[in-house]
Amino acid sequence: MRCFYSDTFVLPLPEGHRFPMAKYSGLRRRLLDEGIVSAADLHEAPRAGWDDLHLVHTVEYTTAVAEGTLSREAQRRIGFPWSAQMVERARRSVGATIAASAAALQHGCAANLAGGTHHAFADRGEGYCVFNDVAVAARVLQRDHGVRQAAIVDCDVHQGNGTAAIFAGDPSVFTLSLHGARNYPFRKEASDLDVELEDGTADEPYLARLAHSLEETLNRQRPEVIFYLAGADPYEGDRLGRLKLTMAGLQQRDELVLGRCRAAGLPVVITMSGGYAHDVNAIVTIHANTIRAAQLCNASAS
Ligand SMILES: [Zn+2]
């Protein structure tokens, strides 16, 4: 399975910043060390073109990002101080999801070892998200690969508010978000299907709601491809998430989504999304488990 990485493009952050930059290189190392992915399957992310980004984002916004003219307020909302490296990393991360999308159409499944930046809107970024990689990749598939309908299965603990707003009123891209009702963002957007979970929701009720909403998604729209945001932050050890999924529960979540897509013969594009456990190793384990589940799923299908 092809995996695209952008961890070589590091974002300079002030001391004590809570964004877990180390998880990205840690994940790539772990996948290699445990033999989950071979070196030949790891590809450096290409840079997304401005024309691709403009399928979703406004020229005003991308220009402000490119030229470093984002207001102080706009940078505060994103949560990163502007730097040329920030621009490069954001473009590479979108490029990784675009590349993974094309690979998934060809091979059934592929992954971006970052991405899932679902809080980015057409005209602004927020919550550590500069550009919306999945939204851009969905538009690129529609423009270049004859895909008409896509669905986004967002299992990050935070609502995919940017994604919901971008595709509001557009039946060609179905948005499903399962998230903590009391988690950021506090003003939620309307996805096509929102599943709001109470604080402390554990494995069993989560998996039941996921299975049900997955069926509803496949029934309400006939997607030709699925984007899966496999956030590590519904984990019980997460600092920001208010849910209580165990590591085993998160594995079952991955198996449920990936297995259902394989059964339906749908290509899957996997992105990592958030994860803020104190222990970076735990975040890496959760993400590595997702890639392992995808490999097993591919193997059992072929
Ligand atoms: Zn999140």
Side-chain angles (χ1 to χ4, degrees):
M1 183 175 73
R2 281 160 207 236
C3 296
F4 296 85
Y5 63 89
S6 50
D7 63 84
T8 41
F9 305 94
V10 176
L11 183 57
L13 292 174
E15 187 97 8
H17 195 286
R18 68 180 176 180
F19 188 75
M21 192 58 74
K23 86 170 183 181
Y24 298 103
S25 54
L27 173 59
R28 181 156 60 102
R29 246 194 330 270
R30 181 82 69 85
L31 294 174
L32 283 171
D33 287 351
E34 296 193 4
I36 299 168
V37 169
S38 71
D41 274 337
L42 285 169
H43 304 275
E44 186 174 86
R47 190 186 286 128
W50 295 110
D51 53 336
D52 297 335
L53 292 164
H54 291 153
L55 293 170
V56 166
H57 295 289
T58 64
V59 173
E60 290 74 15
Y61 176 54
T62 59
T63 303
V65 172
E67 296 179 356
T69 54
L70 289 168
S71 67
R72 191 182 285 270
E73 169 59 16
Q75 291 178 60
R76 191 198 57 75
R77 259 202 321 255
I78 289 171
F80 300 140
W82 186 90
S83 62
Q85 295 98 312
M86 183 196 90
V87 182
E88 182 69 11
R89 181 174 180 279
R91 290 180 69 189
R92 295 280 178 172
S93 185
V94 177
T97 302
I98 294 172
S101 303
L105 288 189
Q106 227 187 330
H107 306 287
C109 192
N112 175 0
L113 301 183
T117 44
H118 57 169
H119 300 309
F121 287 74
D123 62 352
R124 67 182 187 278
E126 61 176 59
Y128 304 146
C129 302
V130 180
F131 299 131
N132 197 310
D133 60 317
V134 166
V136 172
R139 289 296 188 222
V140 170
L141 288 186
Q142 290 180 323
R143 183 192 63 189
D144 297 344
H145 296 272
V147 167
R148 284 153 301 173
Q149 311 230 104
I152 297 169
V153 176
D154 188 336
C155 289
D156 188 274
V157 81
H158 304 101
Q159 194 209 26
N161 56 340
T163 315
I166 287 165
F167 294 116
D170 178 351
S172 75
V173 180
F174 190 94
T175 52
L176 162 64
S177 178
L178 282 91
H179 50 263
R182 300 204 316 123
N183 264 119
Y184 171 93
F186 303 108
R187 202 180 77 78
K188 310 265 194 291
E189 301 287 329
S191 311
D192 290 306
L193 182 53
D194 283 302
V195 177
E196 305 233 295
L197 301 158
E198 293 311 312
D199 286 4
T201 298
D203 295 346
E204 295 234 332
Y206 182 96
L207 293 168
R209 300 286 297 275
L210 173 60
H212 190 267
S213 56
L214 209 48
E215 291 312 312
E216 186 176 337
T217 298
L218 297 179
N219 286 334
R220 279 172 59 182
Q221 201 221 33
R222 298 211 162 272
E224 295 148 78
V225 59
I226 300 285
F227 290 89
Y228 174 36
L229 284 76
D233 47 15
Y235 176 51
E236 58 188 350
D238 198 84
R239 283 178 296 154
L240 305 184
R242 306 182 71 96
L243 306 186
K244 289 277 175 282
L245 270 73
T246 64
M247 240 178 235
L250 288 162
Q251 276 180 284
Q252 287 175 278
R253 172 197 72 170
D254 294 336
E255 287 159 13
L256 180 59
V257 174
L258 296 166
R260 186 64 187 86
C261 293
R262 292 307 296 188
L266 291 169
V268 189
V269 185
I270 303 171
T271 67
M272 298 295 104
S273 233
Y276 308 94
H278 282 289
D279 177 8
V280 169
N281 271 317
I283 312 174
V284 168
T285 299
I286 294 165
H287 288 318
N289 285 343
T290 303
I291 303 298
R292 185 187 284 114
Q295 291 282 31
L296 289 176
C297 217
N298 268 345
S300 62
S302 58

